[in-house]
Amino acid sequence: REHPSRSSNYSSDLASLAGTIFLWVLWPSFNAAVAPPAGQLIAIANTFISLCGSTMATLITSRIFSQRKFEVVHIQNSILAGGVAMGTAGDLPITLAGAACTGFVTGVISTLGYIYMTPFMSHRLNLQDICGITNLHFVPGVISAIVAAIAVAALNSSTEFPHGGAQAGFQVAGLCVSIGFGVVAGLVIGVVMKYAMRPMNWMQRVDYFNDRPHFHIPSDYDVLFDPEAEKRMAEPSVHAETRCYELMEQDDELRKVSVEV
């Protein structure tokens, strides 16, 4: 459940935040690309407003429930929940206020999911949601389907939708079918990976969550991913002495220089 290498570092967080910015900017075009031509501008506007709502909700919720500090995991993920929430409802006339409210509510629920649901799944259910799929895609996706069903039922158009006035029911049915396929496929693949592929799993537990078994790692890799080594290197006297010995072993000339110094 817990592993010493299952953690992030400062450079990784910065790179992830850069990716979050790109996704935030481009998400309105993601939703507009799959919308009918007549609804593409509405999808862009609704998605943008929903993203603004989820961003505000994420920052507020993270600050309140994380000891008055921002948690970078929430910012990397939950601010995008508003875009996911417009995946189905983005091209529907839900009004800008409706999009803002949907994004705000989704941002709150997504952030709270990272605070409470993810640890519960890991410690109580032994389920590791490494990429935050539950809180960024599953829950906002369910909210999106519910909002779309409500919007379709409110319009009650017999000509605008493929199934006329019964379209709302088909939206709910589609949600249930999607969840069913996801649960069944996930269970099957999980069982296959756990039992059928066990003989092929040559990795040791100590090498989980790091790149050592598959890549040539840099010289400072162990310092970055070993808290004890990081503490030792942070001490000026120890760091200077260690570095001096390294130079002495590498070259006789450097040894002379270090001794003179």
Side-chain angles (χ1 to χ4, degrees):
R1 296 176 182 178
E2 297 296 335
H3 193 278
S5 296
R6 188 184 174 183
S7 61
S8 185
N9 57 65
Y10 190 68
S11 59
S12 177
D13 286 337
L14 287 179
S16 297
L17 287 173
T20 299
I21 293 174
F22 279 108
L23 288 173
W24 201 100
V25 172
L26 296 175
W27 213 290
S29 63
F30 296 163
N31 290 340
V34 296
Q40 289 182 342
L41 292 179
I42 297 177
I44 291 175
N46 286 338
T47 304
F48 176 75
I49 297 299
S50 182
L51 283 168
C52 291
S54 63
T55 300
M56 290 188 293
T58 298
L59 296 177
I60 293 172
T61 308
S62 179
R63 183 89 172 182
I64 292 175
F65 290 90
S66 300
Q67 301 177 349
R68 297 186 179 275
K69 292 183 179 181
F70 296 116
E71 174 61 53
V72 68
V73 174
H74 306 159
I75 299 174
Q76 291 168 346
N77 295 277
S78 295
I79 67 171
L80 301 173
V84 180
M86 290 293 108
T88 304
D91 61 324
L92 298 175
I94 60 175
T95 73
L96 296 180
C101 291
T102 302
F104 193 91
V105 172
T106 306
V108 171
I109 296 175
S110 177
T111 306
L112 293 177
Y114 281 103
I115 297 173
Y116 296 110
M117 183 179 293
T118 299
F120 175 81
M121 292 172 59
S122 177
H123 293 92
R124 299 294 183 181
L125 304 179
N126 199 22
L127 297 176
Q128 298 186 25
D129 189 1
I130 302 300
C131 297
I133 300 301
T134 303
N135 304 309
L136 179 56
H137 295 281
F138 173 68
V139 174
V142 172
I143 294 175
S144 177
I146 294 174
V147 171
I150 295 173
V152 169
L155 290 174
N156 195 23
S157 175
S158 59
T159 59
E160 189 173 353
F161 304 111
H163 300 283
Q167 184 65 37
F170 280 88
Q171 294 289 131
V172 176
L175 171 63
C176 296
V177 171
S178 297
I179 294 176
F181 270 107
V183 171
V184 173
L187 290 174
V188 171
I189 294 174
V191 170
V192 171
M193 293 181 65
K194 184 175 182 179
Y195 296 105
M197 298 185 66
R198 179 174 292 179
M200 301 172 59
N201 185 16
W202 51 268
M203 292 178 58
Q204 301 294 322
R205 186 180 184 278
V206 69
D207 289 325
Y208 290 172
F209 303 105
N210 66 58
D211 298 327
R212 187 181 291 105
H214 305 290
F215 292 90
H216 293 290
I217 56 177
S219 58
D220 61 345
Y221 182 86
D222 289 329
V223 175
L224 290 175
F225 291 90
D226 183 0
E228 295 300 325
E230 187 174 5
K231 292 179 182 178
R232 293 195 299 270
M233 297 299 289
E235 299 177 5
S237 59
V238 176
H239 176 74
E241 184 179 359
T242 303
R243 181 57 178 164
C244 181
Y245 285 137
E246 290 177 354
L247 294 175
M248 292 171 62
E249 293 175 357
Q250 290 175 2
D251 198 312
D252 291 337
E253 294 181 2
L254 290 176
R255 180 189 305 174
K256 294 178 182 179
V257 171
S258 63
V259 170
E260 293 175 358
V261 173

